[in-house]
Structures are given as C-alpha cells and as structure tokens.
C-alpha cells in the first residue's frame, strides 16, 4: 500500500471512529447525563480512551461538538423557516419554535448540552432569526420593538420552567412556545 493510500485509509478510519464516538456520547450522556465519563463513552464506541482524546482532548470539547450538532439542526430549520417567511413570517417563526420545543421536550440531552456550553455563538442562526423578525415586522405581524433577544429570552424562560416542572409532553412545550411568541404580536 502506498503512503497516500495509507493516509487516506487512516482518515477514513479516523472519521469512522469520530462518528462512533459521537453516537456513543449521545447514548451515554442521554442515559447518565453529562456526569458520564470519557472511558464510558470510549467503551460504548468500542474504541480506546486515547482515540476519543485524539479527537476531543477534553470532555468539554466532546460536549461542545454535541452542542454544535444540535445548532446545525436548528440552523437547517431556521433556513427552511426563512424560506417560508416570505409569505407569512409569523407562522414561519411559530412553526420553527414549535419544532425546537418538540425536540427539547423529547431530547433532554439537547437541553443539557446547549445550556451547559459557554461561548457558543452561531452567527448563521442569529442572522436567520434577525431576517425572520425583519420580515415579520415588515408584514406587521410582530411588535415594532420585538427583538431576537426577546425571542431567545422568552423561549429560554419557557424551557427552564418546563424542565423544572418536569413536563415532557411535546404538546405542552409547543403550546408554551406559541404563547411566548404571541407576547410579541402587535398590540
């Protein structure tokens, strides 16, 4: 086997191992919370600890990667909502928040990793949310003073309250997402 072929094979193996580690991390952290250890993740993935640490030098790095996966999912949803917003921005924003609320109700790991990782900024999501709000303002569907921060605070507040109340019913989460957003409708 030539050197380039060996390198290519190593890259494929590394990518495969990384995918196995992420899948195992999701399973282990879902079962045991973020208190679970890297050795537990490595065992579930069928790799050695060194393999995990090669890709994720600290547990915080692994948790950050999981948070980024969730943000990528939200970015995709927000992009689709932005496309739908051209005709009705309020309903597009409402549908986006309902989808996110449903996932949060069903995936407590998502809640933990997104709330447990400091300094995660997602400019794409921020820009998409700003564009959604601009369209909703232009269509007269949101209060003129409604901001992206308002949406984030309302949604985060709802999520925290529902988590503290241990409510896991997605229909309830969707209801409160709609109620929170309705606070931003024109008076």
């Amino acid at each position: 086997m030539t050197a380039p072929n060996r390198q290519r094979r190593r890259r494929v193996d590394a990518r495969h191992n990384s995918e196995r580690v992420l899948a195992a991390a999701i399973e282990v952290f879902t079962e045991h919370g973020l208190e679970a250890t890297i050795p537990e993740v490595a065992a579930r993935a069928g790799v050695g600890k060194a393999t995990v640490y090669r890709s994720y030098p600290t547990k915080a790095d692994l948790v950050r990667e999981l948070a980024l996966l969730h943000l990528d999912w939200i970015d995709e949803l927000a992009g689709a909502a932005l496309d739908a917003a051209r005709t009705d921005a309020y309903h597009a924003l409402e549908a986006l928040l309902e989808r996110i609320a449903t996932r949060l109700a069903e995936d407590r790991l998502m809640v933990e990793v997104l709330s447990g990782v400091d300094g995660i900024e997602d400019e794409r999501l921020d820009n998409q949310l700003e564009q959604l709000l601009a369209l909703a303002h232009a269509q007269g569907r949101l209060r003129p003073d409604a901001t992206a921060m308002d949406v984030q605070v309302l949604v985060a507040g709802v999520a925290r309250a529902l988590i503290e109340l241990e409510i896991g019913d997605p229909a309830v989460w969707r209801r409160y997402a709609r109620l929170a957003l309705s606070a931003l409708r024109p008076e």
Side-chain angles (χ1 to χ4, degrees):
M1 187 180 286
T2 65
N5 287 340
R6 277 193 302 270
Q7 277 187 313
R8 194 177 7 242
R9 177 71 183 148
R10 273 191 227 132
R11 276 187 239 132
V12 169
D13 288 345
R15 190 170 44 252
H16 180 68
N17 283 341
S18 181
E19 289 168 1
R20 288 173 46 196
V21 166
L22 287 173
I26 290 168
E27 291 174 8
V28 170
F29 292 145
T30 297
E31 291 170 16
H32 305 288
L34 294 181
E35 301 79 37
T37 65
I38 292 295
E40 290 172 297
V41 171
R44 181 72 58 95
V47 300
K49 291 185 303 186
T51 299
V52 177
Y53 286 121
R54 205 171 4 265
S55 296
Y56 309 101
T58 67
K59 186 166 110 176
D61 293 323
L62 179 56
V63 171
R64 176 177 289 282
E65 184 64 25
L66 294 176
L68 293 173
L69 288 174
H70 289 296
L71 286 176
D72 287 344
W73 176 79
I74 294 171
D75 281 339
E76 287 179 31
L77 287 181
L82 191 53
D83 290 340
R86 310 250 183 270
T87 55
D88 189 340
Y90 184 86
H91 281 107
L93 184 56
E94 184 178 57
L96 170 65
L97 295 180
E98 285 183 2
R99 295 260 330 259
I100 293 169
T102 299
R103 178 91 175 254
L104 291 171
E106 298 171 342
D107 185 351
R108 291 305 165 95
L109 178 60
M110 181 176 177
V111 173
E112 281 191 68
V113 299
L114 289 177
S115 63
V117 176
D118 292 330
I120 283 196
E121 298 296 324
D122 189 337
E123 285 186 34
R124 290 177 302 173
L125 183 56
D126 292 343
N127 289 337
Q128 289 170 327
L129 185 54
E130 290 292 345
Q131 290 176 47
L132 274 168
L133 293 177
L135 286 168
H137 287 132
Q139 294 169 6
R141 302 297 310 269
L142 282 183
R143 299 166 49 126
D145 63 340
T147 67
M149 174 76 81
D150 295 334
V151 173
Q152 292 168 343
V153 167
L154 289 169
V155 171
V158 164
R160 279 192 196 94
L162 293 173
I163 290 166
E164 286 178 18
L165 294 169
E166 297 181 6
I167 295 173
D169 182 351
V172 173
W173 280 68
R174 286 189 299 273
R175 178 178 185 270
Y176 281 101
R178 286 190 304 273
L179 286 171
L181 183 59
S182 71
L184 301 178
R185 292 194 114 175
E187 297 173 357

